Amino acid sequence: MNDYTTISTPVSANSQIARSGALLSAILAALSLALLAALHILSPELDPSWRMVSEYALGQYGWVLSLMFLTMALSCVTLSVVMMPQTRTRGGKIGLGFLLAASVGMAMASVFDITQGLHGLAVLIGNTSFPVAAILLSLSLVRANPAWFAIRRPLLWLANFPWISLVLMLALLFIGLSQTGGKFGPEVWIGWPNRILLVAYGAWLIAVAVRAARVSHGKTRPDPAFQSTFVG
């Protein structure tokens, strides 16, 4: 006999709404990544090795870039609402706050492009908030919710992916600019790290949203090794 079995519980109307919201969040995040990929086809003149994603706003497909940021922002907002009932720790609730802050930054980036001053603020808000949100919320879920403990390893790997990508991007930016006297160019290999960062965001959103949909649907595999560290 297996050490654990799938738990099935009746699905209420609220659970159905939560499941639909989680799936919507996953679809929006996936759409955002698809739009990012499409930009490389629509604007091949921008070398992805050193041109930032925000620079796609300078071409005729700037609206695709805006839609990319908007769909990821909406994914963050939707996931925040869905995860409220499943988040049981203070740290997790703070993480939800950071996720909403990240959505604000992304929404601003969809409105203010790289030629406008507020774009820098949007990037700052989004890129500092999302990695914190991913870590706090993921730790909260695996420590205080048995439905999430079973996927703790892949979830925590994905949660660390955003901040590692951000550090890599900033490190390469610093190294590149120090070698070029502070001038951007092909020698500053920041393009791909910038794109990897966005992929990290999307991957975490999709993973959490898909799991949230399963939990809301009442079918999970609790791990017998789970011991809650939830203290209030």
Side-chain angles (χ1 to χ4, degrees), residues 89-142:
T89 69
R90 185 176 295 107
K93 295 182 187 302
I94 293 174
L96 288 177
F98 274 101
L99 189 58
L100 285 173
S103 72
V104 172
M106 293 173 187
M108 289 176 62
S110 73
V111 176
F112 304 105
D113 63 37
I114 195 171
T115 65
Q116 299 170 293
L118 287 178
H119 183 80
L121 178 61
V123 171
L124 179 63
I125 295 173
N127 285 344
T128 56
S129 298
F130 195 102
V132 177
I135 288 291
L136 290 179
L137 187 56
S138 298
L139 286 175
S140 172
L141 291 170
V142 300

Side-chain angles (χ1 to χ4, degrees), residues 35-52:
L35 290 168
L36 174 62
L39 283 167
H40 293 75
I41 300 174
L42 296 171
S43 299
E45 70 278 4
L46 292 181
D47 187 345
S49 68
W50 66 277
R51 304 298 289 270
M52 301 283 283

Side-chain angles (χ1 to χ4, degrees), residues 19-84:
R19 180 173 183 269
S20 297
L23 291 176
L24 176 60
S25 177
I27 292 171
L28 287 168
L31 177 57
S32 181
L33 294 182
L35 290 168
L36 174 62
L39 283 167
H40 293 75
I41 300 174
L42 296 171
S43 299
E45 70 278 4
L46 292 181
D47 187 345
S49 68
W50 66 277
R51 304 298 289 270
M52 301 283 283
V53 170
S54 295
E55 293 185 69
Y56 285 114
L58 302 177
Q60 60 178 318
Y61 297 102
W63 64 271
V64 178
L65 178 69
S66 294
L67 189 57
M68 184 207 77
F69 282 125
L70 181 59
T71 51
M72 190 165 286
L74 292 174
S75 177
C76 291
V77 172
T78 306
L79 187 63
S80 297
V81 175
V82 169
M83 294 308 302
M84 285 180 184

Side-chain angles (χ1 to χ4, degrees), residues 87-199:
T87 306
R88 303 172 180 176
T89 69
R90 185 176 295 107
K93 295 182 187 302
I94 293 174
L96 288 177
F98 274 101
L99 189 58
L100 285 173
S103 72
V104 172
M106 293 173 187
M108 289 176 62
S110 73
V111 176
F112 304 105
D113 63 37
I114 195 171
T115 65
Q116 299 170 293
L118 287 178
H119 183 80
L121 178 61
V123 171
L124 179 63
I125 295 173
N127 285 344
T128 56
S129 298
F130 195 102
V132 177
I135 288 291
L136 290 179
L137 187 56
S138 298
L139 286 175
S140 172
L141 291 170
V142 300
R143 288 178 176 177
N145 194 322
W148 291 81
F149 185 76
I151 64 163
R152 61 194 180 279
R153 289 185 179 87
L155 181 60
L156 292 178
W157 271 108
L158 287 174
N160 281 284
F161 193 16
W163 75 259
I164 292 174
S165 301
L166 180 61
V167 170
L168 174 64
M169 185 181 76
L170 294 177
L172 290 177
L173 176 63
F174 175 79
I175 294 172
L177 292 179
S178 65
Q179 294 176 343
T180 61
K183 296 180 180 180
F184 283 95
E187 301 83 4
V188 184
W189 296 345
I190 193 176
W192 285 120
N194 183 218
R195 288 156 175 78
I196 291 172
L197 179 63
L198 291 172
V199 171

